[in-house]
Amino acid sequence: MGDADVKDVFELFDRDADGKISVTDVPLVIRSIGGNPTNAELKEWMNELDIKGNNVDLSTFKKLVDKAIANWRGEDVITSAFKQFDKQSTGSVSVEEMRTILTTMGETLSTEEVEAMIEEADPSKSGRINYNDYAKLLSDKPLSNK
């Protein structure tokens, strides 16, 4: 979810166009974009971001969205997906396997996007991708363009 998408969702809930949404609307807004955090997770994230008062601005909301997306895109989910292709349980997949997966399954990616992902996943150009390390890298990476 890019900045423009986050901004569009935010503006839908910014009823008086003052650049803020109510803290009480945050769970609904996060859930409207597909997240399903618990109230405890939301409270934890809001504490981490030191949110005070009754409103959240767009910048803070983007940080909350990053946390929500990272939560449903966590390491375990990514690792689980890769394990489906690791028939020998080595903890890695070949670059060719990853290329095939990225070009034939799910959302179609351009050659440039695939090559960028492979370069990031196999920086040493060994031909193998340690998917535990790659999952950690992906789950630590913010999603919205700040």
Side-chain angles (χ1 to χ4, degrees), residues 15-28:
R15 293 174 190 90
D16 56 2
D18 68 349
K20 299 176 188 161
I21 62 172
S22 170
V23 168
T24 59
D25 283 340
V26 168
L28 176 63

Side-chain angles (χ1 to χ4, degrees), residues 10 28 38 40 46 63 66 95 98 126 132:
F10 181 88
L28 176 63
T38 65
M46 292 173 93
K63 292 174 186 172
D66 278 342
V95 166
M98 185 166 173
S126 69
N132 291 309

